[in-house]
Amino acid sequence: MVDVDIGQAKSALRLQAHAARAALSPTERAEASAAVARLFFDNIKPYPEDVIAAFWPIRDELDCQPIMVRLMEANYTLVLPAVLEREQALEMRVWEQGASLYAAGFGTLAPSPLAPTVVPDVVLLPLLGFDALGTRLGYGGGYYDRTLASLPKKPKLVGLAFAAQELPLIPREPHDVALDIVITEAGVRQFGPSA
């Protein structure tokens, strides 16, 4: 059961985070995306055998394509999520260099339904907002929460965002999975026991 007060608070925070993100100019977005890519490779050291889940950016999300290109060039296994149905987990499909992408729900793209599916070791997460405790505010559909809960092992969770998306405090519900790391153009923040 959803706590009405928490639901209303999250809705208000989503509006605030949307507005902060939308206020950024195309130049600011491009510069921030390039900075986040540099910080990712300077600070996140995936193992060569790691499977990395990324996302195809929609609307005014931070563009993680520069990260995806470098990961593919370095021969990492890269997966992109596809929305199957409401209330279901996302399907993590392998994206091989040169393979076409198809509409995968909510304006995003993913590999063909015939592409293999694998469990990621590292998940790059889109988000609307984050706070100093590593709480992630998503769009409210629960797709990533369901997906992460369904995985047989917990991957490293790396939120990618603009610094303007930081919020003072996001109410955390039992199903909300905290980030391990968030990367913005302003730097890298780690959360949890190793922070």
Side-chain angles (χ1 to χ4, degrees):
M1 180 161 173
V2 176
D3 183 311
V4 175
D5 291 338
I6 290 178
Q8 289 173 342
K10 284 186 171 182
S11 292
L13 289 170
R14 283 188 184 95
L15 292 173
Q16 181 182 340
H18 262 298
R21 199 170 71 183
L24 298 171
S25 72
T27 300
E28 289 171 316
R29 284 185 223 293
E31 289 173 355
S33 295
V36 167
R38 280 191 303 277
L39 288 165
F40 176 86
F41 288 103
D42 287 348
N43 294 277
I44 309 300
K45 308 292 184 195
Y47 296 108
E49 67 275 9
D50 279 350
V51 173
I52 302 172
F55 58 92
W56 196 263
I58 59 173
R59 296 187 288 270
D60 50 9
E61 287 178 342
L62 187 125
D63 187 358
C64 67
Q65 291 178 74
I67 295 173
M68 292 191 289
V69 168
R70 280 190 57 187
L71 289 170
M72 288 180 106
E73 288 172 350
N75 294 315
Y76 280 95
T77 300
L78 189 68
V79 299
L80 292 175
V83 176
L84 300 178
E85 291 182 32
R86 261 185 132 44
E87 305 303 320
Q88 279 194 338
L90 299 166
E91 187 171 80
M92 297 292 181
R93 299 177 185 166
V94 175
W95 182 30
E96 295 179 352
Q97 199 158 15
S100 296
L101 295 175
Y102 302 89
F106 298 102
T108 191
L109 299 175
S112 159
L114 302 176
T117 59
V118 291
V119 175
D121 300 292
V122 178
V123 178
L124 307 182
L125 291 158
L127 50 85
L128 269 175
F130 67 95
D131 67 17
L133 301 175
T135 307
R136 172 187 174 269
L137 182 67
Y139 293 97
Y143 288 98
Y144 275 100
D145 293 323
R146 281 191 296 280
T147 302
L148 297 171
S150 73
L151 296 177
K153 62 181 181 181
K154 184 197 176 295
K156 179 182 285 189
L157 303 179
V158 182
L160 302 179
F162 301 106
Q165 292 175 259
E166 184 168 3
L167 298 165
L169 183 65
I170 300 168
R172 192 182 293 179
E173 297 174 271
H175 66 268
D176 290 327
V177 181
L179 297 167
D180 296 307
I181 298 167
V182 69
I183 305 175
T184 72
E185 72 277 18
V188 177
R189 307 247 306 266
Q190 294 195 25
F191 308 102
S194 61

